[in-house]
Amino acid sequence: MAALTELMAWRDTLERARFSGHRTVRFGDREVTYRTDGEMAAALSDLERQIGAASGTTPIRMIRISSSKGL
């Protein structure tokens, strides 16, 4: 697995490309061309998962709220 700083740099590069409308992203000596925005979103999600695993934190995926009227 890549180092945490490298993963964060890849994520930042991919986000910049996605939000600027580019489909081709260059990571050092590698170049990746995504066909759809969905593919880019999936790659970003995977990078977030790897960053969370490398940093020892996991994102909160669900919050459950419970309430009662006290009856």
Side-chain angles (χ1 to χ4, degrees), residues 43-60:
L44 276 169
S45 177
D46 184 54
L47 281 170
E48 289 291 346
R49 183 192 56 76
Q50 289 181 39
I51 289 169
S55 65
T57 61
T58 55
I60 297 173

Side-chain angles (χ1 to χ4, degrees), residues 2-34:
L4 181 59
T5 55
E6 188 176 21
L7 290 170
M8 292 172 80
W10 288 349
R11 180 197 57 199
D12 295 342
T13 302
L14 186 55
E15 282 180 339
R16 276 194 303 274
R18 182 179 182 208
F19 295 127
S20 68
H22 293 99
R23 294 286 180 241
T24 300
V25 181
R26 191 164 188 79
F27 300 117
D29 60 344
R30 275 184 27 182
E31 185 174 280
V32 179
T33 302
Y34 296 94

